[in-house]
Amino acid sequence: MTAFKKIVIAALFLATSATAHAECNLAQFDIANGNLTANYDPFDAAQSPITVSIRSTGNADCANQRVMLSIEADVSTPTAVNGSEIVLSSGADNLTAQLTGPNGRAATGRFAAGSPTALLSLGSGGDVRSGDLLLSLRAGQRVPPGLYTARLKVIATPLQSDGSNGQPFASSADVLVNVLPSVGLAVGSETTIDIGTITDGAKGTEPIKFQAYGNTGYELAFESDNGFALVQNGKKDGVRIEYVATLENKDIDPDALGVTFSDPGNSGFRNHRLNVRVLTVGRRPAGTYSDYITVKISANVAGN
C-alpha cells in the first residue's frame, strides 16, 4: 500500500513538470525617449526614415523571447491610425507616416493571430535586442508649415516558449512632426530673353517661363547685374540702355524688395513669365547689349 502511494505521487509530479513552461511578463515596453520628433520638408525627395528606439524590461523568462508589436490610436486622438498609416494633424491639415518593424512590416493596426505586424527580439535580460523601428514620412505631401501631432498606443505581446501569447503590455507615445516652410524654383531649358533689334519700348520676343513651388506663400526677388540696364559688350562701365523687367506683363519695381504671393498657388505650384521692356534708346551706338537677371525665392510664412 505504501509503495502504491509512492508511485502515484511520482506520476503526478512528472505530469506537472511536463506541462510547466516559462512565462515571460513585461514590466516595461515603450519608446526610449517618450515621443518621436522629426522635421519634414515636403519637397525633399530623400526623406530619411527616423529610427525609433524601444526600451523594455521583463522577468528572467523573457530572455531571448520574441514580442509581437502593434500600434493603435490613443483615445485622445482616435483618428491617428488609418489602416497601416499614422495620421498626424495640425488641427487643419493632415500628414501621414508609417511605422515599420525590423521585418519591414507596418506596425500600425492590430495584428492577426499567426501574422504579427512586427516581431522584436528580446535579449538575454529581456531588453530589446534588435528593436529599432522606422518612422517613414512619404515625400511630396504638400501640407502647410506647422506642428503635426498624433498620440499612439504601443502594444507589446510576448510570445511564450510554448507558442502561446503572454499578457499584452501597453504604453502611449506622442509623434511630433515639424513641417518646415519649403519653396523652390523650376526653370525650363530656355533661359535667354531675345529682344532682337533694340528700339524704344521693344520687348523680348518670348518671355522666360519658370515655376515657383512651395507649401507656403513666397516672395520673388529680382537682381540685375547692371542695375536693370543693358550694357554694351558686357562692360559694366560702358554704354547703357535702361529697361524694365516685367512679371506677367506687370512692371517690377527695381527699388522694391520683391514681389509677394500670399499662397503657393494651386496644388503648391504657380507658373510665371519674366520679360523685359526697353525704355529710351536715344543715340546709343550700335552693338550687342546684354544683362543678367537672377531670380530668388524665399518663404513668406507670415503671408500664408
Side-chain angles (χ1 to χ4, degrees):
M1 191 68 175
T2 303
F4 178 77
K5 287 183 178 180
K6 287 183 178 179
I7 292 172
V8 173
I9 292 172
L12 289 173
F13 177 75
L14 290 173
T16 303
S17 298
T19 57
H21 66 272
E23 183 77 20
C24 171
N25 293 310
L26 295 174
Q28 179 191 48
F29 194 97
D30 57 21
I31 293 171
N33 58 357
N35 54 49
L36 307 178
T37 60
N39 290 329
Y40 177 74
D41 182 341
F43 297 96
D44 183 359
Q47 294 286 335
S48 298
I50 302 142
T51 300
V52 181
S53 296
I54 295 291
R55 64 184 176 189
S56 71
T57 56
N59 60 1
D61 291 329
C62 289
N64 302 315
Q65 296 293 88
R66 292 191 301 173
V67 170
M68 293 191 297
L69 179 68
S70 66
I71 305 294
E72 297 179 3
D74 188 84
V75 292
S76 61
T77 56
T79 60
V81 172
N82 180 20
S84 64
E85 291 185 324
I86 298 170
V87 181
L88 301 103
S89 175
S90 67
D93 298 277
N94 292 334
L95 178 71
T96 60
Q98 192 172 67
L99 196 62
T100 57
N103 56 8
R105 293 179 179 174
T108 46
R110 293 183 180 274
F111 53 78
S115 180
T117 54
L119 279 175
L120 305 182
S121 299
L122 299 180
S124 58
D127 57 322
V128 172
R129 184 174 59 196
S130 58
D132 284 340
L133 304 176
L134 296 176
L135 180 69
S136 301
L137 294 156
R138 178 175 49 82
Q141 298 182 70
R142 302 185 190 103
V143 294
L147 183 64
Y148 291 70
T149 64
R151 187 163 179 80
L152 306 176
K153 182 188 292 184
V154 183
I155 303 173
T157 303
L159 291 175
Q160 306 299 347
S161 57
D162 66 350
S164 64
N165 293 346
Q167 184 67 29
F169 189 97
S171 64
S172 295
D174 290 312
V175 183
L176 310 170
V177 176
N178 181 33
V179 176
L180 305 172
S182 181
V183 294
L185 294 173
V187 182
S189 58
E190 185 56 61
T191 58
T192 300
I193 298 176
D194 184 7
I195 300 175
T197 301
I198 303 176
T199 58
D200 292 356
K203 299 179 181 180
T205 54
E206 286 290 336
I208 289 178
K209 298 175 182 179
F210 65 94
Q211 191 175 68
Y213 59 86
N215 65 342
T216 184
Y218 58 93
E219 184 176 86
L220 295 177
F222 301 87
E223 298 178 358
S224 162
D225 282 8
N226 300 294
F228 294 98
L230 302 170
V231 296
Q232 188 179 31
N233 300 324
K235 296 180 180 179
K236 291 182 176 294
D237 56 352
V239 180
R240 300 163 57 87
I241 300 176
E242 308 291 333
Y243 70 88
V244 173
T246 65
L247 187 69
E248 281 77 74
N249 296 318
K250 295 181 179 180
D251 291 358
I252 298 172
D253 183 354
D255 297 323
L257 295 177
V259 182
T260 300
F261 298 86
S262 60
D263 62 76
N266 185 34
S267 300
F269 295 91
R270 180 177 280 114
N271 294 317
H272 292 289
R273 292 173 293 116
L274 177 66
N275 208 339
V276 298
R277 186 181 73 257
V278 176
L279 296 178
T280 303
V281 177
R283 300 178 64 84
R284 268 57 169 195
T288 300
Y289 291 77
S290 63
D291 187 26
Y292 290 91
I293 296 176
T294 301
V295 182
K296 296 181 178 179
I297 186 171
S298 59
N300 177 33
V301 180
N304 193 35

